[in-house]
Amino acid sequence: MKVSVVVCTYTADVYDHFCEAGDSVLNQTYDEIEVILVSDGNESLYERIVADYGDHPAVKTHCNDEN
């Protein structure tokens, strides 16, 4: 069974915690996992997420239109 975990943020102030949460999920031993990283209405933050995680095969990224 595949497990999906969604991690959201809307501000760069907590980006370190956001990354810790995403990395924690990615470091689990269960193989069938995907992480969906969401920027809630912050386009520049979304670009940072894509730069940091966009190439990871288990990660999908999304940017909401507004918070």
Side-chain angles (χ1 to χ4, degrees):
M1 175 177 23
K2 189 170 198 173
V3 174
S4 299
V5 178
V6 179
V7 183
C8 303
T9 190
Y10 63 92
T11 179
D13 295 346
V14 295
Y15 189 74
D16 290 339
H17 299 295
F18 173 80
C19 291
E20 285 178 28
D23 292 342
S24 177
V25 175
L26 291 169
N27 290 327
Q28 298 300 308
T29 58
Y30 189 74
D31 290 332
E32 293 295 318
I33 196 161
E34 72 176 349
V35 179
I36 303 166
L37 301 176
V38 179
S39 171
D40 199 9
N42 186 330
E43 187 66 37
S44 62
L45 186 58
Y46 176 71
E47 292 172 4
R48 186 172 174 188
I49 293 168
V50 170
D52 291 344
Y53 293 95
D55 292 334
H56 196 290
V59 173
K60 295 182 181 180
T61 59
H62 178 75
C63 185
N64 289 334
D65 293 335
E66 61 182 70
N67 179 356

